[in-house]
Amino acid sequence: MTKFNIQRPDPAIEGAAIDRINNLTKPKGSLGRLEELALQLALIQQTLRPRLKNPHNILFAADHGIIEEGVSVSPKEVTWQQLGHFAKGGAGINFLCNQHGFKLVLVDAGVDYDIPSGSGIIDMKMGRGTRNFLHGPAMTVDEFDECLKRGARVVDMVAENGCNVLSFGEMGSGNTSSSSMWMSILTGIPIEECIGAGAGLDNPGIARKRDVLGRAMAGCSAESLIEKLAWTGGYEMAMAVGGMLRAAELGMVVLVDGFIMTACIAAAMAINPEVKHYAIFGHCGDESGHRRMLDAIGAKPLISLGLRLGEGSGAVCAFPIVDSAARMICEMDTFADVDVTKYFD
């Protein structure tokens, strides 16, 4: 398997960063989570003046064979239709990227459609969708590893453009099924407790999804963790995992989106635990199981707005909070800088 050399941020700067944060012209601790985030950013960038530059949202799209079992209300063609919609602008992720200064990067990871050349979509297609994991592996371990490499290559592209903070999004009908499978595999939570409505299943639809995924889990004969992730995953998910690992290897800030991307960062953490030091969790979404998965991996989301769109929307929406943390530590004066009496220890 591809190895990622992710270094835990050097703690040598931590004392100086805490001292600066505590001596900004405010009561100590009065800016709450912003102070925690500022410390994390200082450690990631190894500076008391962290800056967030040229943010990108990388959106991987792919189809899933498990959709053949009726586990999604969204038909397969919606994947390529929405991918084209993203390229033209006007979708949910488009207005958020426009609002917050993100460049949207679109990647065909394995859509069951021939994307026209010149559409502005990066071709990393592994195939026309994964295989149906109810009946066998969705992909081979070699395909999973190749996805890691391709996701990493996309991150290299944006890093060359001066990006040091990025989020990841996804598009793929049926991918909440793969994410539920990963959640159960990675956390030990029973599969039936990891399943929700996805794109809008009604109660009978959720019951069918539980039945299908329960049978799929029982029939999965994979032994190693990587084999299990390959058996039940999606091309776009595996590429996101590779992208997250490479971003951390490069010392970039990784903004984590909703249920599907939380499953991906959990997989990345299982491959290399040091990736978590670079991750900031944007939000807790409205998909069943998201809060439980966040709790299971010890993650603290920044916002909770009932979002369940995916696409990277929650991560991009939370970006201004992270930017505020960077601006706080960079732009506020300390008591030593100005003629204000420090009134606490």
Side-chain angles (χ1 to χ4, degrees):
M1 291 296 298
T2 301
K3 302 294 184 183
F4 294 88
N5 183 25
I6 302 173
Q7 299 297 315
R8 180 176 296 203
D10 189 342
I13 198 175
E14 185 172 6
I18 292 172
D19 183 69
R20 175 168 175 79
I21 292 167
N22 286 345
N23 284 283
L24 297 173
T25 50
K26 59 174 180 55
K28 186 164 65 174
S30 61
L31 284 176
R33 287 292 303 279
L34 295 186
E35 299 188 21
E36 296 176 21
L37 288 170
L39 177 59
Q40 184 179 1
L41 294 174
L43 286 167
I44 290 172
Q45 296 188 5
Q46 291 290 291
T47 176
L48 301 184
R49 299 289 194 278
R51 297 285 186 180
L52 302 178
K53 300 176 182 177
N54 200 14
H56 283 59
N57 182 63
I58 301 174
L59 192 156
F60 296 101
D63 282 304
H64 291 248
I66 193 65
I67 200 173
E68 298 166 5
E69 305 301 326
V71 295
S72 175
V73 71
S74 174
K76 185 166 62 173
E77 62 266 23
V78 169
T79 303
W80 67 260
Q81 291 170 350
Q82 273 292 88
L83 188 58
H85 187 200
F86 299 145
K88 295 175 182 177
I93 192 58
N94 294 104
F95 86 79
L96 286 166
C97 285
N98 291 340
Q99 179 183 3
H100 299 305
F102 276 68
K103 181 176 180 180
L104 178 60
V105 178
L106 302 172
V107 182
D108 175 8
V111 178
D112 188 11
Y113 187 79
D114 294 321
I115 304 296
S117 60
S119 61
I121 297 167
I122 298 172
D123 182 7
M124 291 285 179
K125 190 189 290 288
M126 280 295 301
R128 298 179 73 102
T130 53
R131 294 172 283 281
N132 185 345
F133 63 72
L134 179 62
H135 306 299
M139 68 184 96
T140 66
V141 169
D142 286 344
E143 287 173 329
F144 182 87
D145 187 49
E146 179 61 26
C147 284
L148 296 183
K149 294 175 182 177
R150 294 187 185 192
R153 286 208 297 272
V154 178
V155 169
D156 285 337
M157 292 177 192
V158 304
E160 290 172 2
N161 290 332
C163 169
N164 71 0
V165 54
L166 49 78
S167 55
F168 294 91
E170 41 62 39
M171 181 65 215
S173 297
N175 58 15
T176 59
S177 292
S178 285
S179 299
S180 295
M181 297 290 281
W182 277 17
M183 175 182 171
S184 182
I185 290 165
L186 293 162
T187 68
I189 297 171
I191 183 61
E192 63 269 15
E193 298 177 26
C194 302
I195 295 167
L201 286 171
D202 57 15
N203 287 335
I206 295 173
R208 175 174 178 79
K209 188 174 179 180
R210 285 183 178 141
D211 173 66
V212 169
L213 298 192
R215 287 188 285 125
M217 186 67 79
C220 176
S221 60
E223 296 182 359
S224 72
L225 174 63
I226 296 299
E227 288 171 335
K228 291 176 182 178
L229 295 176
W231 187 298
T232 58
Y235 293 141
E236 84 282 26
M237 294 167 61
M239 287 192 197
V241 172
M244 291 171 175
L245 290 166
R246 179 57 175 158
E249 187 176 37
L250 294 173
M252 303 170 78
V253 177
V254 177
L255 303 177
V256 182
D257 191 42
F259 181 65
I260 296 158
M261 288 298 104
T262 301
C264 291
I265 194 68
M269 288 165 54
I271 293 170
N272 190 322
E274 302 299 342
V275 71
K276 189 179 179 183
H277 296 288
Y278 299 85
I280 295 174
F281 294 82
H283 77 119
C284 179
D286 208 30
E287 174 67 15
S288 175
H290 191 196
R291 168 59 70 181
R292 291 193 66 182
M293 183 159 45
L294 289 166
D295 290 344
I297 63 174
K300 294 170 60 179
L302 293 177
I303 60 175
S304 181
L305 300 177
L307 307 177
R308 54 182 180 87
L309 176 62
E311 305 172 8
S313 54
V316 175
C317 199
F319 171 75
I321 298 173
V322 185
D323 191 38
S324 291
R327 291 176 181 274
M328 179 201 77
I329 193 172
C330 287
E331 298 177 13
M332 282 187 71
D333 292 322
T334 66
F335 285 102
D337 296 327
V338 295
D339 189 20
V340 175
T341 300
K342 184 180 178 183
Y343 51 92
F344 55 87
D345 294 330

